[in-house]
Amino acid sequence: MEHNTVYRTRIKFLELFLLAVIYGAASLTVVFLLGVIGYVFLKGFPVLRPDFFTNVTSSLHGTMGIGGNLLNTLYLVVIALFIGIPVGVGAAIYLNEYARKGRLIDVIEFAIETLAGIPSILFGMFGMVFFGGTLGLGYSLLNGALTLTLMILSLVVQNTREALRAVPKSYKEGALGMGAAKWHMIRTILLPTAWPGIFTGVILAVGRIVGESAALLYTAGSARGLPGLGQGFWEDSSRLWGKVFESGGSLAIELYLQMQNGQYELAFGIGCVLLLFVLLMNTLTRLMGSRMS
């Protein structure tokens, strides 16, 4: 009986020790996160004035801001999603609903999984050679957006496939049993039901686009200028469209360049903006995940 008591005491001590380690690790993670966020905001928050979001950094005019970089980032997000979402969602629908298991499908799935693991710098080199050289786009926002489309494609496809698999089979079988055509079932039943999961993948894709820097150094360039507007509707529209074919640095690129130049105050200010964006994206992802579950 005594041996049994000692044994139970040891087991209880081991459980308490493991529980302390787990809680300690979790607390340490929270402390590190709060430390990083607190340090960045402590250094960069004084820079976050209204003109910081509308001006362009220029040593000639003595101004400091990220207006041009915000616009460039918006261009990259819109163009990459405009191309990547239809292609990614379409590929996921084909693989889940139409494709039959075989060697070709195995190759496609392997290619999608491989795309997710390729370093971003390799995407940048490919974009510079193919989009920039072969297609003649050079350093431009369109080149950067096309390269980012390749990078987010696997993310969109995989999240969409998981969202489609989460739809109960009874929904699809009921629609087909009532005589609905397969595409009608996909359009009216499958996609609306799976939309929260698809939207989660889109949010994650936006986060990767905004945080990407290595690939854009080779493709989009680093220009930070704003197009001169106020010349009339057609002239302004022409300039906004023409900017797609011009070089433009995103927020992440500008942060990298300002750190290289020793402008740490400005770099931390950009870091604050990126952190706020990441926190917003994570919050939206959790909300959509909760709604889907």
Side-chain angles (χ1 to χ4, degrees), residues 203 207 210-211 271-285:
I203 293 174
V210 173
C272 289
V273 176
L274 289 174
L275 273 178
L276 287 172
F277 184 82
V278 169
L279 291 173
L280 176 63
M281 291 295 101
N282 286 341
T283 302
L284 287 175
T285 303

Side-chain angles (χ1 to χ4, degrees):
M1 190 69 178
E2 183 181 356
H3 173 74
N4 191 29
T5 304
V6 173
Y7 177 74
R8 288 182 177 177
T9 303
R10 289 177 179 176
I11 292 296
K12 187 176 181 180
F13 175 78
L14 182 60
E15 290 176 352
L16 292 175
F17 175 75
L18 292 177
L19 191 63
V21 170
I22 292 171
Y23 275 99
S27 302
L28 196 61
T29 303
V30 175
V31 169
F32 281 150
L33 175 62
L34 294 178
V36 170
I37 294 176
Y39 184 78
V40 172
F41 272 88
L42 182 65
K43 293 288 186 178
F45 190 77
V47 181
L48 301 182
R49 299 181 297 270
D51 59 340
F52 179 72
F53 297 93
T54 56
N55 287 340
V56 175
T57 300
S58 172
S59 55
L60 181 64
H61 298 92
T63 56
M64 183 173 63
I66 57 172
N69 304 109
L70 282 173
L71 182 61
N72 295 336
T73 303
L74 180 62
Y75 268 100
L76 293 170
V77 170
V78 171
I79 298 173
L81 293 182
F82 181 78
I83 302 172
I85 291 178
V87 175
V89 174
I93 292 174
Y94 170 75
L95 292 173
N96 268 41
E97 302 300 323
Y98 290 99
R100 295 181 179 179
K101 269 295 181 181
R103 185 170 299 178
L104 177 61
I105 301 305
D106 292 338
V107 171
I108 295 174
E109 291 178 342
F110 177 76
I112 293 172
E113 293 172 358
T114 304
L115 274 176
I118 295 178
S120 58
I121 195 71
L122 294 181
F123 281 105
M125 293 172 63
F126 173 81
M128 180 182 66
V129 173
F130 182 71
F131 298 127
T134 305
L135 299 185
L137 296 178
Y139 284 96
S140 64
L141 290 171
L142 183 57
N143 186 355
L146 291 174
T147 304
L148 289 172
T149 300
L150 296 178
M151 296 178 62
I152 67 171
L153 199 57
S154 62
L155 186 62
V156 174
V157 172
Q158 290 175 345
N159 277 274
T160 302
R161 294 191 70 186
E162 290 299 322
L164 295 176
R165 288 178 185 141
V167 177
K169 289 185 178 180
S170 58
Y171 287 17
K172 298 186 289 184
E173 293 171 352
L176 295 174
M178 293 176 65
K182 190 163 189 176
W183 171 241
H184 183 78
M185 178 273 295
I186 292 173
R187 182 168 52 86
T188 60
I189 302 296
L190 193 61
L191 288 178
T193 307
W195 173 243
I198 298 173
F199 187 66
T200 299
V202 173
I203 293 174
L204 294 174
V206 173
R208 183 167 188 185
I209 293 171
V210 173
E212 182 55 44
S213 59
L216 295 177
L217 279 173
Y218 290 92
T219 55
S222 59
R224 56 174 73 101
L226 284 166
L229 302 179
Q231 305 298 320
F233 176 78
W234 295 111
E235 183 69 21
D236 292 350
S237 300
S238 177
R239 291 188 178 184
L240 288 173
W241 171 251
K243 188 170 175 61
V244 174
F245 304 96
E246 299 175 359
S247 172
S250 66
L251 286 171
I253 294 292
E254 185 66 13
L255 188 150
Y256 167 75
L257 293 177
Q258 294 303 330
M259 287 294 291
Q260 271 198 331
N261 296 333
Q263 301 293 331
Y264 300 119
E265 185 181 13
L266 178 57
F268 277 110
I270 300 172
C272 289
V273 176
L274 289 174
L275 273 178
L276 287 172
F277 184 82
V278 169
L279 291 173
L280 176 63
M281 291 295 101
N282 286 341
T283 302
L284 287 175
T285 303
R286 291 181 66 87
L287 289 175
M288 295 306 297
S290 300
R291 180 181 175 183
M292 185 177 180
S293 61

